[in-house]
Amino acid sequence: MINHEIKIAFEEYNTFEELNDQDKHLCLEAVKALKGSHSPYSNFSVGAALRLKSGRVLYGSNQENAAYPSGLCAERVALFNWGANYADDPIEALAVTAHTAKFQISKPITPCGGCLQVLAEYEKKQEQPIRTILYCQGGAAWVTNGIESFLPFLFFEDRLVTVPV
């Protein structure tokens, strides 16, 4: 038997003010993205903002549906927008935040497994990590450089990728 240990690395900032200016700006853009949330069932709004190498910012917000599996998370809305429209402009960073009137959010929220897997796919596609900032308004921010700290056993099988002949 072999014992393995996985360690994750992320930076924790106690307040928004501790972030660098670029990260602060992207967090504020994620807050703006909350306005597009359609969350009448959970009343839990999530906003995401992507900063591309060109400086362009793309937005995503969660989109719920009465048929729950038909909804989509904010992170995937933003990431799929990038994949469909801006894939030649690499993603440098992603900021995610949330809001609800039902209770106080006291720590950053993390993306779901599906969103983490999509993030991993796009990191692989662009061959570079994506700085990820999870921002709790009025609280802490967690920052990581690359998806592996959130999803150490990401699914990727190189043999599934077809190579043009």
Side-chain angles (χ1 to χ4, degrees), residues 6-19:
I6 295 174
K7 294 182 180 185
I8 64 167
F10 66 98
E11 300 164 356
E12 181 172 9
Y13 297 86
N14 291 320
T15 69
F16 172 81
E17 295 304 320
E18 294 177 22
L19 294 169

Side-chain angles (χ1 to χ4, degrees), residues 30-151:
V31 171
K32 285 183 192 174
L34 288 169
K35 293 177 185 160
S37 173
H38 177 70
S39 48
Y41 306 102
S42 70
N43 293 301
F44 191 81
S45 301
V46 181
L50 296 176
R51 183 180 63 244
L52 308 184
K53 186 175 183 178
S54 68
R56 179 186 303 268
V57 175
L58 303 180
Y59 302 92
S61 57
N62 58 324
Q63 302 297 309
E64 294 180 351
N65 191 285
Y68 280 24
S70 299
L72 200 57
C73 301
E75 300 91 331
R76 280 185 274 170
V77 169
L79 289 164
F80 291 156
N81 180 13
W82 173 80
N85 298 299
Y86 303 97
D88 59 342
D89 190 0
I91 302 168
E92 290 186 338
L94 162 70
V96 181
T97 194
H99 174 76
T100 182
K102 291 187 170 196
F103 54 86
Q104 178 70 34
I105 299 173
S106 60
K107 63 181 182 179
I109 61 151
T110 58
C112 73
C115 288
L116 292 173
Q117 184 61 46
V118 170
L119 193 56
E121 181 77 20
Y122 286 152
E123 278 190 358
K124 183 92 169 160
K125 180 178 181 177
Q126 70 177 24
E127 298 179 341
Q128 71 182 39
I130 297 170
R131 181 173 179 82
T132 303
I133 308 149
L134 306 178
Y135 169 51
C136 178
Q137 296 174 67
W142 298 342
V143 180
T144 186
N145 287 307
I147 192 62
E148 287 185 16
S149 287
F150 292 116
L151 191 62

